[in-house]
Amino acid sequence: MTTPLVEMRQIDKRFGAVQALRGVDLTLQPGEVLGLVGDNAAGKSTLMKILSGALQPDGGQILFRGEPVRFASPAEARRRGIEMVYQDFALCDNLDVARNVFLGRWPLRAWGIVDRAAMQRAAEAMLRRLRIDIPAVTLRVRALSGGRRQSVAIARALSFDPAVLILDEPTANLSPGATQEVLRVVAGLRAHGVGVIFISHRLQEVFEIGDRVTVLKQGRHVATCRVRDATEEEVLELIVTGGRPGAGAGAPPPAG
Ligand SMILES: Nc1ncnc2c1ncn2[C@@H]1O[C@H](COP(=O)(O)OP(=O)(O)OP(=O)(O)O)[C@@H](O)[C@H]1O
Ligand SMILES: [Mg+2]
């Protein structure tokens, strides 16, 4: 068996009175798309913010390529090759596509002048590689549709050449057409050997592009299964019941 790209073991996280994560395990294999699903407040974003260094766990361990790691900041996670595109991804609306892709790292010529031509060429190459269809990298991001903005956010994350890309609900608020565009980009990342963790509320999408799916409920790991071995109905059942037979949507939360 190959060493997992990422292994999160027994991760705990508390915010004041809220126990957001309790002993959660997650593994990501190289070149796979892992769906991460669960109801609101299941802990999906919190778990991924821990992996990307934005939050520190209270307990548990993270292994990256088999080696224990600790990320005190997103910059440290980035140095190891872990990138996250947040739910409310931060693009600068009034800057063009190329400047957004290379935000904070604009290439300079002599006397500190931004090398626009170099930046545009690099941005075009990146979009081509991802088969992202944007008419011109000189367009302001403000002028783009939701799907294309999401694609620019993904291109920006990939410009750091990560081994792991985390996407937090990349298709929320997108039209069906824009959603397909983003799913196609994400599915294409496999060919580049990038491991993707894809948070979604839409199981259909996870079944369309995922290799495996991990289910969380109320801060606990419920199950991880191969997409091709399961049905959407089965995974939905796990999301709703937390894998406890007889527990329905209206059941009280577990004690403790
Ligand atoms: N910074 C924070 N401060 C306090 N509580 C937080 C914070 N971040 C998350 N929480 C709480 O932790 C729990 C898990 O939240 P999280 O955002 O990880 O859930 P989620 O699965 O991503 O939900 P959603 O599907 O709504 O995005 C929730 O009860 C939430 O209110
Ligand atoms: Mg979330």
Side-chain angles (χ1 to χ4, degrees), residues 15-16 18-21 38-47 49 55 87 168-169 199 201 216:
F15 298 105
V18 177
Q19 188 73 44
L21 298 172
D39 279 338
N40 289 112
K44 306 178 296 293
S45 295
T46 301
L47 187 65
K49 284 177 185 168
L55 290 173
Q87 240 162 329
D168 197 345
E169 304 205 33
I199 301 178
H201 270 109
L216 302 185

Side-chain angles (χ1 to χ4, degrees), residues 32-139:
E32 85 166 338
V33 177
L34 176 72
L36 183 56
V37 302
D39 279 338
N40 289 112
K44 306 178 296 293
S45 295
T46 301
L47 187 65
M48 290 301 102
K49 284 177 185 168
I50 288 172
L51 181 55
S52 67
L55 290 173
Q56 275 64 57
D58 298 328
Q61 200 184 22
I62 303 176
L63 305 183
F64 183 71
R65 300 189 199 277
E67 181 194 327
V69 288
R70 226 172 245 280
F71 303 131
S73 68
E76 285 187 11
R78 171 170 289 161
R79 272 199 289 280
R80 286 301 189 115
I82 299 176
E83 276 299 318
M84 177 162 175
V85 178
Y86 290 92
Q87 240 162 329
D88 44 0
F89 50 87
L91 294 178
C92 288
D93 272 358
N94 58 337
L95 296 180
D96 67 23
V97 171
R99 282 184 164 84
N100 267 284
V101 169
F102 294 105
L103 203 61
R105 296 163 296 146
W106 294 346
L108 299 181
R109 287 192 288 150
W111 303 297
I113 297 167
V114 176
D115 189 343
R116 293 189 54 185
M119 186 165 61
Q120 288 170 5
R121 274 197 308 275
E124 279 162 8
M126 169 68 69
L127 297 181
R128 217 173 18 247
R129 190 184 125 197
L130 298 172
R131 303 202 190 161
I132 293 172
D133 163 40
I134 286 178
V137 296
T138 50
L139 283 175

Side-chain angles (χ1 to χ4, degrees), residues 33 35 37 169-176 178-180 182-183 186-187 190 198-211 227 232:
V33 177
V37 302
E169 304 205 33
T171 61
N173 314 317
L174 296 190
S175 68
T179 294
Q180 283 310 315
V182 169
L183 292 183
V186 175
R190 236 190 240 105
F198 176 81
I199 301 178
S200 179
H201 270 109
R202 303 185 192 155
L203 279 185
Q204 210 188 333
E205 295 177 356
V206 170
F207 275 76
E208 197 174 322
I209 63 164
D211 298 298
V227 165
E232 276 183 50

